[in-house]
Amino acid sequence: MRLATAATASLIWAIVAGAAWPQAAAPPPTPGVQAPPQSEPPPAAPPAREESPGLLNEIGKMFGQLPTLKGTQESIENLNARAKDAAKDASDNLSRLAKPSSMVSGRMICPPSSNGAPDCKTGADKLCQAKGYKEGKSLMTDSAETCSPKVLIPGRARKPDDCRTDNYVTSALCQ
């Protein structure tokens, strides 16, 4: 199959190449008679170069797709901009940490949230606001069981809804 394809390609190449060559030489000019100048056909344009699928061709494509490298000055400017942004972020974080805060003690109930769990953030905020601060974070909590006076009746059986557990913020960090 390959041999037939190669032979066919060679035959076509020979025919095309042979058609471009002159078949006969022009007759010599006769003395005294001037023949009109013959125009020669322009040389055939070289056939379009086909892309050869080889390793070197693929490497050449890869180099053609590489981004241009930045100059030294541009790299230094980018590095300086990134350093400036990092310094700004660090100073913002330090200023946030440097706000005056104080630890306060007290006892404020943690109200139940919508899902029934105690909301000690609200309790810490209320404790700090009672001491003159804006908001707070709970540091220490305590819990206590609060029961109905019915529990104290002698001979009465205790029911599940007679007592509840209350949570309290006892220490908070206020700002």
Side-chain angles (χ1 to χ4, degrees):
M1 177 85 172
R2 282 189 170 181
L3 183 59
T5 305
T8 305
S10 298
L11 182 62
I12 291 173
W13 179 254
I15 291 171
V16 171
W21 291 339
Q23 298 296 323
T30 56
V33 177
Q34 267 189 334
Q38 294 181 359
S39 63
E40 293 183 18
R49 182 176 168 195
E50 291 184 23
E51 201 171 297
S52 60
L55 177 65
L56 293 178
N57 187 36
E58 294 299 319
I59 291 174
K61 285 182 189 177
M62 182 182 69
F63 280 121
Q65 294 174 352
L66 287 177
T68 58
L69 297 176
K70 296 179 183 178
T72 307
Q73 182 65 30
E74 189 176 347
S75 297
I76 291 173
E77 288 172 359
N78 287 345
L79 185 62
N80 285 341
R82 288 176 37 199
K84 186 193 308 183
D85 291 342
K88 183 180 178 288
D89 290 343
S91 69
D92 289 346
N93 289 337
L94 284 176
S95 66
R96 189 176 65 227
L97 291 175
K99 288 182 183 176
S101 59
S102 179
M103 187 175 107
V104 297
S105 296
R107 188 169 175 90
M108 187 64 64
I109 192 165
C110 299
S113 64
S114 60
N115 62 1
D119 183 11
C120 288
K121 169 67 173 138
T122 304
D125 288 344
K126 287 182 180 179
L127 179 62
C128 289
Q129 289 166 1
K131 303 286 183 172
Y133 292 95
K134 182 178 176 185
E135 65 176 355
K137 293 183 181 181
S138 172
L139 292 178
M140 295 177 65
T141 59
D142 189 15
S143 62
E145 188 175 55
T146 307
C147 296
S148 165
K150 295 177 187 177
V151 176
L152 302 175
I153 299 174
R156 181 179 180 275
R158 189 170 177 179
K159 296 181 182 174
D161 60 344
D162 283 345
C163 296
R164 71 175 187 274
T165 303
D166 289 330
N167 292 297
Y168 297 91
V169 174
T170 59
S171 180
L173 185 65
C174 302
Q175 292 183 349

